[in-house]
């Protein structure tokens, strides 16, 4: 019950006052399955890309974080080929930083920030991480190509 009323409130806020570059909606009539889109930030290799994400809200939300993954392929050191995201706020303590006071809007904003500022020291994709660290131009070129190929509208 708590989950349903909280999710309704969050979705209503995401609809009326979405964070810049982010949209989120219910997938069909299922309250526990959401979809989101994040626009690639200006002056990042993801610029002009539209990235689709899937959000699965667990039964124990907000005491457990939602599972979020990219449906659109993205070339990024912290996001793997299955779309899984390495980000501390998506995991429970002690390894993660999820707190019930966080919400879906905060998570999507954190993911948008991670897209603009990768963390090569905590990678899911080791080869992309070392490319980001040691061959930045090549990383930027590859990320732009993937954005054009998979996220251009």
């Amino acid at each position: 019950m708590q989950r349903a009323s909280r999710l309704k409130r969050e979705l209503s806020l995401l609809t009326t006052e979405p964070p810049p570059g982010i949209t989120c909606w219910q997938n069909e009539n299922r309250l526990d399955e959401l979809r989101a889109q994040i626009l690639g930030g200006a002056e990042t290799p993801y610029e002009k890309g539209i990235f689709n994400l899937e959000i699965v809200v667990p039964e124990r939300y907000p005491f457990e974080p939602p599972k979020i993954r990219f449906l659109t392929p993205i070339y990024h050191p912290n996001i793997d080929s299955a779309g899984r995201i390495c980000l501390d706020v998506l995991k429970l303590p002690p390894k993660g930083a999820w707190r019930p006071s966080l919400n879906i809007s905060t998570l999507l904003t954190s993911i948008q920030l991670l897209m603009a500022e990768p963390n090569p020291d905590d990678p899911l994709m080791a080869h992309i991480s070392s490319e980001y660290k040691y061959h930045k131009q090549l990383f930027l070129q590859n990320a732009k190509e993937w954005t054009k190929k998979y996220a251009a509208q």
Side-chain angles (χ1 to χ4, degrees):
M1 191 62 217
Q2 184 180 6
R3 173 180 89 146
S5 61
R6 170 147 170 184
L7 273 172
K8 280 196 177 96
R9 207 170 46 247
E10 283 191 39
L11 273 169
S12 159
L13 262 173
L14 276 161
T15 306
T16 55
E17 302 168 39
I22 294 174
T23 48
C24 185
W25 64 94
Q26 251 177 288
N27 190 26
E28 288 154 21
N29 283 334
R30 302 206 33 198
L31 196 57
D32 58 345
E33 263 191 41
L34 310 175
R35 291 286 185 263
Q37 281 187 336
I38 297 180
L39 300 179
E43 295 172 36
T44 74
Y46 311 110
E47 188 170 12
K48 292 192 173 83
I50 297 177
F51 297 88
N52 293 302
L53 293 90
E54 169 188 78
I55 303 166
V56 177
V57 183
E59 204 56 55
R60 294 196 57 238
Y61 182 80
F63 304 104
E64 210 176 279
K67 302 207 176 342
I68 303 179
R69 70 182 188 96
F70 275 79
L71 297 173
T72 305
I74 181 170
Y75 194 83
H76 193 287
N78 307 108
I79 302 161
D80 72 9
S81 54
R84 292 178 302 226
I85 307 161
C86 182
L87 186 62
D88 60 352
V89 290
L90 294 175
K91 294 184 282 232
L92 284 166
K95 286 190 171 147
W98 170 256
R99 295 184 313 281
S101 58
L102 297 173
N103 60 34
I104 292 167
S105 178
T106 314
L107 294 179
L108 291 171
T109 304
S110 299
I111 292 168
Q112 188 182 42
L113 198 62
L114 181 70
M115 287 170 67
E117 300 282 328
N119 177 3
D121 298 323
D122 189 17
L124 272 180
M125 304 296 280
H127 71 284
I128 298 177
S129 175
S130 65
E131 192 177 277
Y132 180 83
K133 279 179 165 174
Y134 307 113
H135 306 287
K136 188 83 169 256
Q137 281 314 112
L138 182 61
F139 164 79
L140 291 171
Q141 183 186 329
N142 285 331
K144 280 179 187 162
E145 279 174 22
W146 275 50
T147 300
K148 200 176 286 171
K149 186 173 180 181
Y150 300 110
Q153 295 302 309

